[in-house]
Amino acid sequence: MSDTKGFAPTRKGGMKQLPPLPIDFDEEAHRYTWKPTGERLMMSVTGVLSASKSKRTLQTFARTKSTWAPRGTYVHRCLELFLKGEPAHTLMHGEYQEYVQPLLEYPLWEHFEPVALEYRVCDLKRNLGGSLDVLGYDHFCDRMVLLDLKTLGKGGRQYSTDAQLGGYLSMLIDHHKLVVDDCLTMWAGFGEAHLGASQPPDQCLIAWENAYDIWKATQEEI
């Protein structure tokens, strides 16, 4: 069992929730503020990662944002409410029910207990902020898991989320000294949901540092 600094459970239902950090988030501007000083953080994790993407990929994201952004927001909200205790059947309606139903029916949740949902994190030294999707305990495998949720349109392809998870992980370690045993990505597609292969935390941290170095290099060129 992990050394989780007081967060390791004795049974499902025995987890302590991770206390929130004093961070404000402006949804519209996608900006984070460290409340104790009022400092607005310069960049987000996703903003840093954009420097590693090709111009064509960024153009595609921008062109299709009106499709994937509302879908992602809706599905993420449904998972958050479900993991907070709202009955699944009350959430399996609406425009994106084909994405929500298989996600909420996925077997993982039967033995998974969240300790943080849509949780704000930051790196004050690098002036960065971010929001992780799910941190929780898998009682079946006896492990603390950092999980990112992605939605895929019809024909959409999976991609590496190592760097993104590594960014959140580094900030969790910085503020909470929390040991995470595994990083995972849940892929919610039309009519199906898949849990990706294990993404070792060290691998994710390395990917994040590489992505940060790329982003930092682009800033020095400006």
Side-chain angles (χ1 to χ4, degrees):
M1 183 178 292
S2 301
D3 176 13
T4 51
K5 306 295 282 187
F7 291 91
T10 56
R11 64 190 185 284
K12 190 171 182 181
M15 296 295 297
K16 292 165 53 180
Q17 295 299 296
L18 196 66
L21 295 172
I23 301 172
D24 274 336
F25 182 61
D26 184 331
E27 293 275 357
E28 186 174 348
H30 201 77
R31 286 284 187 178
Y32 297 85
T33 301
W34 182 249
K35 289 195 291 186
T37 62
E39 179 184 6
R40 292 187 67 185
L41 304 180
M42 176 177 59
M43 184 58 63
S44 67
V45 169
T46 53
V48 169
L49 298 180
S50 66
S52 302
K53 302 183 187 300
S54 68
K55 183 177 180 180
R56 181 177 180 180
T57 297
L58 293 175
Q59 290 173 339
T60 299
F61 281 173
R63 187 179 68 252
T64 59
K65 185 175 181 178
S66 61
T67 298
W68 58 259
R71 180 185 67 219
T73 298
Y74 185 92
V75 176
H76 275 76
R77 180 58 174 164
C78 285
L79 179 61
E80 179 185 4
L81 291 173
F82 173 68
L83 291 178
K84 285 182 175 179
E86 186 161 336
H89 68 86
T90 67
L91 301 167
M92 295 179 184
H93 304 286
E95 184 178 357
Y96 302 105
Q97 62 180 337
E98 294 87 353
Y99 292 86
V100 173
Q101 183 169 347
L103 172 63
L104 302 190
E105 292 178 345
Y106 200 83
L108 171 67
W109 313 126
E110 296 175 5
H111 47 82
F112 186 89
E113 187 172 359
V115 299
L117 299 167
E118 296 298 326
Y119 188 83
R120 314 301 183 196
V121 289
C122 68
D123 183 331
L124 294 176
K125 293 178 181 178
R126 291 176 169 176
N127 205 14
L128 303 174
S131 300
L132 64 87
D133 292 337
V134 180
L135 177 70
Y137 203 84
D138 183 341
H139 288 264
F140 182 77
C141 297
D142 195 24
R143 61 183 180 175
M144 185 67 76
V145 174
L146 175 61
L147 183 145
D148 194 60
L149 171 63
K150 299 295 185 188
T151 64
L152 289 174
K154 295 180 180 179
R157 298 179 179 179
Q158 297 182 14
Y159 51 91
S160 175
T161 61
D162 284 357
Q164 185 173 2
L165 285 163
Y168 303 145
L169 179 57
S170 70
M171 296 176 189
L172 281 173
I173 294 171
D174 184 37
H175 287 280
H176 296 295
K177 306 299 186 288
L178 181 66
V179 175
V180 170
D181 300 297
D182 203 4
C183 297
L184 296 169
T185 303
M186 177 67 78
W187 301 94
F190 187 90
E192 58 182 352
H194 296 291
L195 190 63
S198 171
Q199 298 165 251
D202 287 348
Q203 172 181 302
C204 292
L205 288 171
I206 291 171
W208 165 246
E209 291 302 320
N210 290 338
Y212 178 78
D213 287 344
I214 292 172
W215 175 80
K216 187 176 180 181
T218 64
Q219 301 305 296
E220 293 171 351
E221 294 173 358
I222 297 175

